[in-house]
Amino acid sequence: MNPALTSGTTTEPVILDAKQLTSDPELEARFAESVHQILGDLVRGGAALGWIEPPSRDDVAELLGRVVSAVQAGDAALRAAYLDRRLVGLGFWLRYTRPTHRPHADLEKIAVEAAAHGRGVGRRLTAALIADAREQAIEVLTLDARGDNTNALHLYRSLGFTEYGRLPDFVAVGEHRYDKVFYMLDLRRQS
């Protein structure tokens, strides 16, 4: 059992990296199912996570397998947020595979269950992933978000990301259209 996680009531999320997560057999065994539940609930609620319909268990398992393999190769970072040994959020970045883009990475997902919104979980996950990027000598961390995801866009700006582009009405969800907004954090210019 991970000593950072208690069985009592905590008010602050505990943020684990992939190594800490996989070193705890109980957490590792429940991780994929917990991620599937969080992503499914968020997508059903209209969250902008890249799916129109909730992802299947197989889709989530494939995604997590790809991310964990990339972490093991030094090409990714994965973070998980826990409150009282219950997964409440996760996030990851992946290094770009194109040889000319290898110094950079893309923050691909930050997902926090609805019940934990407003508790600083997204901020702590993102800050930990930024720290991981610095540690891995990532030069520029990028991300894209749906233009109506104002809370996420505010969070990213507050952590130093700047907008570098926008595709108007690019994201199609049924009849609705949303801008796709591109953000970057240049870690070469920050200590």
Side-chain angles (χ1 to χ4, degrees):
M1 184 159 105
N2 191 308
L5 299 176
T6 64
S7 58
T9 303
T10 59
T11 58
E12 293 294 317
V14 174
I15 308 297
L16 301 181
D17 63 23
K19 185 177 180 180
Q20 293 167 315
L21 178 65
T22 58
S23 70
D24 185 322
E26 180 188 336
L27 293 181
E28 185 179 24
R30 293 189 332 239
F31 186 64
E33 184 58 34
S34 297
V35 171
H36 177 255
Q37 185 69 46
I38 289 171
L39 293 176
D41 289 348
L42 289 170
V43 171
R44 275 188 287 283
L49 290 169
W51 292 282
I52 293 173
E53 297 294 326
S56 70
R57 282 179 171 78
D58 289 343
D59 290 340
V60 171
E62 186 277 327
L63 172 67
L64 293 175
R66 184 171 51 92
V67 172
V68 169
S69 291
V71 168
Q72 292 166 342
D75 290 334
L78 169 67
R79 290 291 182 148
Y82 284 85
L83 287 169
D84 299 326
R85 298 189 62 77
R86 182 175 59 85
L87 183 71
V88 295
L90 72 141
F92 65 89
W93 57 254
L94 292 167
R95 188 182 295 271
Y96 284 96
T97 57
R98 181 183 280 176
T100 56
H101 296 173
R102 294 283 300 155
H104 315 297
D106 192 52
L107 184 63
E108 294 199 11
K109 292 268 183 275
I110 298 288
V112 176
E113 74 173 10
H117 286 179
R119 297 185 72 176
V121 176
R123 175 172 297 280
R124 294 201 45 192
L125 281 168
T126 307
L129 289 164
I130 292 168
D132 293 339
R134 282 192 176 99
E135 186 176 305
Q136 291 292 322
I138 296 298
E139 293 179 8
V140 178
L141 188 59
T142 62
L143 64 87
D144 63 80
R146 203 167 79 187
D148 69 324
N149 197 349
T150 55
N151 289 338
L153 295 174
H154 174 75
L155 169 66
Y156 300 137
R157 284 190 304 271
S158 76
L159 290 169
F161 284 85
T162 57
E163 183 177 328
Y164 71 90
R166 181 179 290 257
L167 293 171
D169 297 330
F170 186 80
V171 179
V173 180
E175 297 298 315
H176 301 283
R177 299 294 179 266
Y178 304 95
D179 291 357
K180 182 174 184 175
V181 184
F182 299 92
Y183 274 51
M184 63 173 277
L185 180 62
D186 192 336
L187 298 172
R188 298 170 293 192
R189 298 189 182 139
Q190 299 180 11
S191 55

